[in-house]
Amino acid sequence: MIIAEHPSAEQVSSALVAEYRGVATSIISDNLSRLPGATGILPYHKGGHMIGTALTVKTRAGDNLAIHAALKIARAGDIIVVDGGGDISQALIGEIILTHAQSLGVAGFIIDGAIRDVGAIRASDLPCYARGVTHKGPYKFGPGAINVPVSIGGLVVNPGDLIVGDEDGIVALAPAVAAQLLPGVRAQEENERIKISRFKEARLQLQG
């Protein structure tokens, strides 16, 4: 079956990735007027921050042929973002694909669909977000498309977007927008740090 493959977008610069590494998705969301963001997509991995460049995949519900095609062009630092239409009747990835991707340096997965082999995924350091879980495996007939705009839990993701994920969820934004947001992000981080520090100091004074 035909897989429509478009050229990969330029990867997000290492400097911008470094600026956003460890930044909370909640702070990024606040600086995006709290409007864009995926809903219903949950983390299943062991934990930790996810950051990288979106390599997008559009696939038919329950079919992962396009994901295998995406792995052939995936670069270190890419995050494979799969629009599976929210269907959770068949798992789109499991331990084998996750291990393959990790060997390529892929920085994570976001699946608007189901996954399986959750025990192995929960023990893995490779970030993996999904809508649900099922033991039933995928079909491999296609069709699909690679490097096209996709929708993940209501969040539109374009090829080449900066993807940031943590325990609260995921956000996606164009690199140019991410660069523009940095001053506001840094200011909010400092403001929240000061507030939390003051509350901790007040609690210590009460205890004393």
Side-chain angles (χ1 to χ4, degrees), residues 131-207:
R131 182 170 293 278
V133 175
T134 179
H135 58 80
K136 296 193 298 180
Y139 298 104
K140 294 177 172 61
F141 302 123
I146 300 171
N147 285 318
V148 296
V150 296
S151 177
I152 305 296
L155 172 67
V156 175
V157 181
N158 291 293
D161 276 355
L162 174 67
I163 303 289
V164 181
D166 59 17
E167 291 82 359
D168 288 339
I170 55 172
V171 291
L173 57 165
V177 173
Q180 292 170 359
L181 286 184
L182 265 177
V185 166
R186 291 288 177 260
Q188 185 172 342
E189 284 181 323
E190 179 62 12
N191 183 48
E192 292 192 3
R193 185 195 66 79
I194 291 171
K195 284 183 178 179
I196 292 171
S197 177
R198 286 175 177 169
F199 286 136
K200 287 181 177 179
E201 288 174 3
R203 185 181 64 189
L204 289 173
Q205 290 173 0
L206 286 173
Q207 290 175 346

Side-chain angles (χ1 to χ4, degrees), residues 1-205:
M1 185 63 73
I2 294 175
I3 301 294
E5 182 179 322
H6 301 274
S8 293
E10 182 179 351
Q11 285 190 299
V12 179
S13 71
S14 58
L16 193 59
V17 168
E19 291 282 5
Y20 274 88
R21 191 175 302 280
V23 175
T25 56
S26 58
I27 287 179
I28 300 171
S29 176
D30 285 353
N31 282 271
L32 290 168
S33 301
R34 302 178 176 178
L35 288 175
T39 57
I41 310 295
L42 302 175
Y44 282 90
H45 54 288
K46 184 163 60 176
H49 201 254
M50 177 177 73
I51 189 164
T53 302
L55 192 171
T56 60
V57 178
K58 173 69 176 175
T59 188
R60 185 169 65 89
D63 191 292
N64 75 354
L65 184 65
I67 299 175
H68 285 280
L71 286 169
K72 293 178 181 178
I73 64 168
R75 305 159 297 190
D78 281 346
I79 292 172
I80 298 178
V81 183
V82 182
D83 180 353
D87 178 80
I88 58 171
S89 62
Q90 313 288 148
L92 293 177
I93 70 165
E95 182 180 9
I96 292 175
I97 286 183
L98 195 84
T99 305
H100 180 193
Q102 197 162 23
S103 75
L104 300 173
V106 167
F109 277 96
I110 303 169
I111 309 288
D112 196 352
I115 58 174
R116 68 176 182 176
D117 302 326
V118 176
I121 290 173
R122 283 184 174 141
S124 174
D125 292 323
L126 184 66
C128 182
Y129 294 74
R131 182 170 293 278
V133 175
T134 179
H135 58 80
K136 296 193 298 180
Y139 298 104
K140 294 177 172 61
F141 302 123
I146 300 171
N147 285 318
V148 296
V150 296
S151 177
I152 305 296
L155 172 67
V156 175
V157 181
N158 291 293
D161 276 355
L162 174 67
I163 303 289
V164 181
D166 59 17
E167 291 82 359
D168 288 339
I170 55 172
V171 291
L173 57 165
V177 173
Q180 292 170 359
L181 286 184
L182 265 177
V185 166
R186 291 288 177 260
Q188 185 172 342
E189 284 181 323
E190 179 62 12
N191 183 48
E192 292 192 3
R193 185 195 66 79
I194 291 171
K195 284 183 178 179
I196 292 171
S197 177
R198 286 175 177 169
F199 286 136
K200 287 181 177 179
E201 288 174 3
R203 185 181 64 189
L204 289 173
Q205 290 173 0

